């Protein structure tokens, strides 16, 4: 018979990709965890993980079984929460992904605040600017910029945002300020990578219509936080989501460029896997973040371009990180 502790062990192994790390998380000896895994596989008559000297990864059969395990544990945890009869108290794990820059500079204190209010919730925060696979990465939800390209996601809009070219005062003093999008070709541009592909086509709308400018990357990275650090250090012009740099602009550390041109819309959204039941603790975190993000966006309004009086309707585009 497969026990609940067995299911938790399987999920911990999948999370860490390492048997010893999973054992430490659950307070087990590695030998005990290894023996338990063999016992579970014998009971199921299937190999759930491929083992190597460095890592452990699910087989195809194992990945399917783990998805069912996660769903079963979510349902049991939710039942326990309802049985407790106290909707203000939650317990269990929440796994959240977020863009690296937003996660480090803005999101983390809000998560600390939520955890102080609900100390029985175990929060795992995964930072990065690649597109998250909620099922494969075993995530409850993911914050991402951009419109939703995949119907497998259920989205909750957190706040409107937009991409904006920014640079430090020191860089602009040394290299001049671009007046039109075409001027960016003569500047040092800092480019985000999506996998191995540079996001170097920057789109603008202005008095002369739409422009799609392909910039040459003076520096490129797959980490949006590094991109912002380079801009702050005067290394060049970065194309950033407004919420990530609003505080820097307010403080004078960065300056928004091309005031007569508006950038592509890039709303911040919270994504959930379609068809997966959400535990109460995940909805509680979503509601907490929605309130904090809305307040932050209201306190840092996007400066309207001179040819346009307000931020327009949200446009579609790739779900992005930075």
């Amino acid at each position: 018979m497969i026990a609940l502790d067995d299911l938790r062990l399987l999920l911990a192994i999948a999370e860490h990709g390492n048997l010893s790390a999973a054992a430490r998380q659950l307070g087990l000896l590695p030998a005990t965890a290894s023996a338990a895994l063999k016992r579970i596989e014998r009971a199921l008559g299937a190999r759930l993980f491929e083992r190597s000297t460095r890592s452990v990864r699910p087989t195809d059969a194992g990945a399917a079984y783990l998805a069912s395990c996660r769903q079963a544990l979510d349902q049991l945890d939710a039942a326990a929460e309802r049985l407790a009869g106290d909707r203000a108290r939650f317990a269990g794990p929440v796994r959240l992904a977020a863009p690296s820059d937003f996660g480090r500079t803005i999101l983390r204190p809000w998560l600390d605040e939520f955890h102080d209010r609900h100390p029985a919730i175990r929060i795992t925060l995964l930072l990065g600017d690649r597109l998250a696979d909620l099922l494969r990465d075993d995530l409850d939800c993911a914050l991402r910029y951009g419109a939703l390209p995949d119907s497998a996601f259920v989205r909750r809009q957190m706040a409107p945002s937009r991409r904006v070219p920014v640079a430090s005062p020191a860089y602009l003093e040394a290299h001049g300020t671009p007046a039109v999008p075409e001027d960016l070709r003569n500047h040092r541009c800092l480019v985000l990578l999506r996998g191995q592909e540079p996001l170097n086509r920057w789109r603008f709308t202005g008095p002369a219509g739409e422009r799609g400018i392909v910039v040459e990357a003076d520096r490129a990275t797959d980490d949006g936080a590094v991109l912002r650090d380079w801009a702050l250090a005067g290394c060049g012009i970065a194309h950033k989501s407004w919420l990530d740099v609003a505080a820097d602009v307010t403080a004078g550390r960065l300056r928004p460029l091309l005031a007569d041109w508006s950038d592509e819309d890039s709303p911040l959204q919270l994504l959930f896997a379609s068809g997966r039941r959400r535990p109460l603790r995940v909805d509680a975190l979503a509601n907490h973040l929605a309130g904090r993000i809305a307040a932050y966006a209201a306190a840092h309004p996007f400066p309207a371009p001179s040819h346009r009086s307000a931020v327009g309707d949200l446009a579609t585009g790739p779900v992005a990180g930075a």
Side-chain angles (χ1 to χ4, degrees):
M1 180 178 292
I2 307 300
L4 288 178
D5 287 344
D6 293 335
L7 302 186
R8 298 189 192 282
L9 172 62
L10 296 177
L11 292 174
I13 294 171
E15 176 182 348
H16 292 285
N18 181 282
L19 197 60
S20 296
R24 284 194 298 272
Q25 176 184 317
L26 299 174
L28 302 174
L29 294 174
T32 303
S34 179
L37 176 56
K38 292 177 182 177
R39 172 179 53 77
I40 296 167
E41 289 181 326
R42 282 197 306 269
L44 294 173
R47 189 172 182 83
L48 301 179
F49 292 93
E50 295 290 353
R51 285 85 146 175
S52 71
T53 55
R54 294 187 177 181
S55 66
V56 178
R57 60 183 180 83
T59 62
D60 290 343
Y65 186 71
L66 288 168
S68 297
C69 290
R70 177 60 186 268
Q71 185 176 10
L73 287 175
D74 282 346
Q75 290 175 347
L76 289 170
D77 287 340
E81 290 171 1
R82 289 192 295 269
L83 191 61
D86 182 2
R87 294 304 181 94
R89 183 180 182 277
F90 302 95
V94 174
R95 288 172 58 83
L96 166 71
S100 61
D101 199 1
F102 186 85
R104 290 187 176 96
T105 60
I106 302 172
L107 176 64
R108 186 194 55 78
W110 298 338
L111 293 180
D112 294 341
E113 180 184 57
F114 181 77
H115 190 266
D116 288 343
R117 188 179 303 168
H118 304 290
I121 289 181
R122 304 187 302 278
I123 296 174
T124 298
L125 174 62
L126 305 180
L127 297 179
D129 294 292
R130 67 177 179 85
L131 299 181
D133 186 319
L134 299 185
L135 295 176
R136 185 190 63 200
D137 297 333
D138 196 26
L139 294 168
D140 292 296
C141 50
L143 281 166
R144 280 294 177 261
Y145 286 113
L148 184 65
D150 192 336
S151 60
F153 294 142
V154 174
R155 68 174 175 176
R156 178 173 178 178
Q157 184 172 308
M158 296 283 108
S161 187
R162 200 180 266 166
R163 295 197 179 283
V164 57
V166 292
S168 71
Y171 174 85
L172 297 175
E173 182 177 350
H175 300 279
T177 301
V180 293
E182 287 77 6
D183 290 345
L184 293 170
R185 297 192 180 107
N186 301 317
H187 279 269
R188 298 176 180 176
C189 293
L190 312 172
V191 172
L192 184 71
L193 297 174
R194 174 64 39 69
Q196 298 298 317
E197 294 296 322
L199 301 182
N200 62 343
R201 184 175 180 83
W202 298 357
R203 297 194 295 268
F204 304 90
T205 302
E210 295 185 0
R211 292 286 189 275
I213 303 300
V214 177
V215 301
E216 184 173 347
D218 184 71
R219 305 185 189 199
T221 177
D222 64 352
D223 190 315
V226 172
L227 207 67
R228 173 173 161 270
D229 288 343
W230 279 340
L232 289 168
C235 299
I237 297 174
H239 200 215
K240 291 288 296 175
S241 291
W242 169 249
L243 293 178
D244 289 351
V245 296
D248 295 316
V249 171
T250 300
R253 295 185 291 268
L254 293 174
R255 292 179 185 169
L257 307 176
L258 302 176
D260 289 337
W261 296 78
S262 64
D263 274 29
E264 58 191 290
D265 293 306
S266 184
L268 181 63
Q269 300 167 95
L270 188 61
L271 306 182
F272 307 94
S274 179
R276 174 187 284 183
R277 194 202 62 80
R278 295 199 299 271
L280 296 175
R281 60 184 180 275
V282 175
D283 282 338
L285 176 60
N287 292 336
H288 173 76
L289 294 181
R292 293 296 178 269
I293 292 171
Y296 186 87
H300 299 86
F302 191 92
S306 58
H307 76 283
R308 186 173 171 183
S309 61
V311 175
D313 293 335
L314 298 177
T316 58
V319 175

